[in-house]
Amino acid sequence: MSNVQQNDPLLPDYSFNVHLVSGLTPIEKSGKFDFFIDRPKGLNGYIINLTYAGQGTIYRNNDSFNCHPGDFVLFPPKEPHLYGRKEDESNWFHFWIYFKPRSTWKYLLSWENRIENTGFYRPNIKVKKELEQLFIKIVEIGQSTSIYSENLAMSMLEQFLIRRAQETSNKSSKDIDIRVLQVCNYLIDTLDENELMLDNVAQKVCLSASRISHIFKDQIGMSIGQWRQEQRISRAKILLQTTNLSIANIGRSIGFEDQLYFSRIFKKRIGLSPQKYRNSSQEQHERKIKDINSLDLYGKITK
Ligand code: FCB
């Protein structure tokens, strides 16, 4: 791989240094995109792809499987990618979404695995169309340049993942515990409070603090405190990206009275101070607009 990065996510060496990016890869035999997607170390985020036409083959070591129109494939972070048009097919068109999931999505992203950790989902005929249309809509919104489009695409992606989970699980034990959801709602409603009182949380759901902590961790994959911190930081990120509120006000709205302390925690988690994050999101947004404008028509959805 060369070190030169370029702007087209359909071609090798695109950086994927974004939260959500989506597209359609129209592979035609001997065409511009007829090469194998080969990323031995995978990417930092997840990818879901939907085969729209033709067939693709996904390889891993000595194993492989084919995907047909309507099939979804999920690559978790760091999962190797080696896939392309199935040898005897004249094309393979697939839609894809690359994303960094919200912290509550863990239970939505454990799909049945096909090879190693590569997930696979073939919807039944009843929901095939619905899920396909929803997915394509998300791809489309993910390519839009309006300021809230990424948030909208993320929400719709969550909806897609929930619909898939509903369809694949008939055991209610797989569903998230209602008490955990109550805790999540309570935490979201009290993000502006300075301190988390675990006893108050436990009281809300009539369990002991240690019991709810255990159930929560088991289902969400992180502690109540960590989850609350994630929510505070992601709310801060949205406010930094989409408003002109001062850093101090944003910090206060998520329970940090001390701006310096807020900046320190934010930087530790995100790697940039709130101000630098705001500037770089603005630059990224402008770059995305430029990238999309410079993509050739093939990379975009044409109806
Ligand atoms: C594109 C590939 C597509 C997917 C995205 C993330 O270049 O064509 O399959 O991997 O990158």
Side-chain angles (χ1 to χ4, degrees), residues 36-301:
F36 269 73
I37 289 117
D38 183 6
R39 304 180 184 114
K41 293 188 178 150
L43 294 173
N44 289 332
Y46 283 77
I47 296 179
I48 300 179
N49 74 35
L50 160 68
T51 296
Y52 193 66
Q55 284 183 51
T57 307
I58 319 280
Y59 294 89
R60 184 73 40 77
N61 304 325
N62 295 326
D63 221 347
S64 69
F65 69 90
N66 297 325
C67 29
H68 300 246
D71 290 348
F72 292 93
V73 179
L74 171 81
F75 294 94
K78 314 282 181 227
E79 182 77 351
H81 300 173
L82 183 61
Y83 52 88
R85 175 179 58 81
K86 182 170 176 264
E87 219 182 334
D88 55 0
E89 285 283 317
S90 61
N91 62 43
W92 181 39
F93 280 27
H94 64 281
F95 287 98
W96 52 266
I97 303 174
Y98 168 87
F99 61 100
K100 309 255 174 71
R102 289 185 176 147
S103 51
T104 45
W105 290 5
K106 186 182 168 233
Y107 76 111
L108 298 173
L109 291 164
S110 46
W111 292 23
E112 185 200 312
N113 290 335
R114 220 356 121 80
I115 304 182
E116 285 174 24
N117 296 318
T118 302
F120 180 81
Y121 172 52
R122 178 172 293 165
N124 74 33
I125 196 77
K126 272 198 344 249
V127 288
K128 185 170 178 282
K129 204 165 182 72
E130 174 200 331
L131 289 177
E132 204 172 278
Q133 280 174 352
L134 179 55
F135 193 86
I136 295 172
K137 190 82 201 151
I138 304 168
V139 172
E140 218 173 327
I141 291 175
Q143 293 186 322
S144 145
T145 54
S146 89
I147 188 91
Y148 287 112
S149 57
E150 191 169 293
N151 294 350
L152 183 58
M154 285 295 278
S155 290
M156 291 174 72
L157 184 55
E158 182 166 20
Q159 186 187 333
F160 167 83
L161 293 169
I162 293 172
R163 283 294 293 122
R164 193 212 69 94
Q166 272 182 329
E167 287 305 314
T168 50
S169 81
N170 33 29
K171 282 191 255 104
S172 56
S173 65
K174 272 198 176 169
D175 291 342
I176 199 152
D177 190 312
I178 184 78
R179 293 165 302 188
V180 171
L181 286 179
Q182 280 168 349
V183 170
C184 292
N185 287 335
Y186 174 74
L187 295 175
I188 294 282
D189 287 346
T190 54
L191 278 192
D192 58 342
E193 283 177 16
N194 202 272
E195 226 177 307
L196 167 71
M197 296 298 190
L198 197 52
D199 285 340
N200 293 350
V201 174
Q203 249 175 31
K204 283 267 161 220
V205 289
C206 306
L207 290 173
S208 70
S210 68
R211 183 84 193 111
I212 185 61
S213 300
H214 179 82
I215 302 179
F216 192 95
K217 180 135 199 211
D218 186 47
Q219 295 219 337
I220 302 288
M222 63 180 87
S223 74
I224 293 181
Q226 282 167 333
W227 191 82
R228 179 171 189 267
Q229 193 74 315
E230 291 272 311
Q231 304 316 306
R232 291 165 104 188
I233 299 294
S234 66
R235 186 175 290 179
K237 281 165 70 182
I238 292 180
L239 292 173
L240 287 164
Q241 281 180 319
T242 57
T243 72
N244 292 324
L245 286 171
S246 71
I247 309 281
N249 272 343
I250 293 182
R252 265 196 297 279
S253 76
I254 49 168
F256 291 100
E257 282 308 320
D258 178 353
Q259 182 184 337
L260 284 180
Y261 182 59
F262 164 52
S263 297
R264 214 170 62 231
I265 299 286
F266 189 91
K267 181 157 187 206
K268 205 163 147 211
R269 176 71 187 73
I270 303 299
L272 294 176
S273 70
Q275 188 57 54
K276 287 214 171 109
Y277 177 81
R278 178 172 260 167
N279 298 346
S280 93
S281 308
Q282 184 59 32
E283 281 162 20
Q284 213 176 73
H285 181 66
E286 281 158 11
R287 218 177 28 241
K288 202 164 161 188
I289 295 178
K290 244 175 63 215
D291 283 3
I292 287 177
N293 289 341
S294 69
L295 264 186
D296 74 22
L297 255 186
Y298 242 140
K300 290 190 178 177
I301 303 171

